[in-house]
Amino acid sequence: MGTVIYSLSMSLDGFVETPSRSLDWVQVDEELHSFFNEQSRKVTTSLYGRRMYELMAGYWPTAPSDPDASPVEREFAEIWAQTPKVVFSSTLREVGWNSRLVRGDPVEEVRRLKADPAAVIDVGGPALAGTLIRAGLVDEYGVAVHPVVLGAGTPYLPALDQRLGLRLLETRNFASGVVFLRYAAETTTDAAAERTTGAATAEPDPS
């Protein structure tokens, strides 16, 4: 089975955006952006809901021609454009930039994508991630914890009916004060740990 990864920037109190959906608290310097680029190169498919797709498509296709864009931002723009994307929406009429529109059930589509052992699937946005987490399809969680407390906003994780066990795989500190944490979900395929350790065995996938 492939690996489904959910990774976002998060405040210390667990939010990924303010109540007004602002991201002005996320400070991505060159060091952190280079790390994000490195992670993005490993992705074979990116998943988006409508809002996150529109946010990304609103800037990254034009970033290479933006005189204010830094070299690492232009590099990410190229990676983003080249990565195949699946957009789940019942309201969008069309998508571009190497994207495919799916109007059906995200769970069934992700199960199909995950059947490819070489797949590294990145989930963009907490709403879509929540659907896949509840279905037991997310194998790996990444959080870039920023040194800020928002007090309220959109949580990184959804409300769950049962406890979700995680195993720490990686920590990384950045000069900006950001700490990146990567976890494997103990209740799904252990593909994330296998990629890290080279282990030949994996836990059964309940999905």
Side-chain angles (χ1 to χ4, degrees):
M1 302 289 282
T3 304
V4 176
I5 301 168
Y6 172 42
S7 186
L8 283 179
S9 289
M10 185 183 79
S11 67
L12 184 61
D13 52 344
F15 299 108
V16 298
E17 61 185 6
T18 70
S20 62
R21 293 181 170 174
S22 172
L23 298 174
D24 60 358
W25 53 274
V26 177
Q27 302 300 318
V28 182
D29 60 11
E30 184 174 355
E31 180 190 23
L32 185 57
H33 214 309
S34 294
F35 174 73
F36 288 160
N37 290 1
E38 176 186 327
Q39 301 302 304
S40 296
R41 286 192 190 92
K42 304 172 186 177
V43 173
T44 59
T45 304
S46 290
L47 308 179
Y48 294 112
R50 178 193 58 79
R51 192 168 68 85
M52 184 61 72
Y53 170 75
E54 289 180 334
L55 178 67
M56 300 295 283
Y59 175 68
W60 291 113
T62 60
S65 60
D66 182 356
D68 295 325
S70 66
V72 290
E73 288 174 330
R74 293 191 182 99
E75 181 181 56
F76 177 79
E78 293 176 1
I79 297 168
W80 185 85
Q82 293 169 5
T83 303
K85 292 167 277 292
V86 177
V87 182
F88 298 97
S89 174
S90 60
T91 58
L92 286 175
R93 304 187 69 172
E94 60 181 9
V95 293
W97 312 110
N98 202 15
S99 303
R100 176 168 59 89
L101 182 61
V102 174
R103 301 191 185 279
D105 182 6
V107 170
E108 291 305 314
E109 178 67 16
V110 174
R111 282 188 177 131
R112 187 186 68 79
L113 292 170
K114 192 175 177 180
D116 179 0
V120 179
I121 304 164
D122 175 68
V123 184
L128 178 58
T131 298
L132 302 181
I133 291 168
R134 293 188 188 97
L137 289 172
V138 176
D139 301 287
E140 182 177 318
Y141 295 81
V143 285
V145 183
H146 289 249
V148 61
V149 175
L150 298 179
T154 303
Y156 170 77
L157 290 170
L160 298 174
D161 294 330
Q162 59 186 8
R163 184 180 302 174
L164 175 63
L166 302 175
R167 182 171 68 261
L168 182 65
L169 299 177
E170 177 186 0
T171 62
R172 182 163 173 173
N173 299 326
F174 294 87
S176 62
V178 171
V179 178
F180 179 76
L181 305 171
R182 185 165 68 95
Y183 295 91
E186 302 237 342
T187 54
T188 62
T189 303
D190 203 355
E194 186 173 322
R195 288 194 292 117
T196 302
T197 64
T201 59
E203 299 174 3
D205 185 348
S207 66

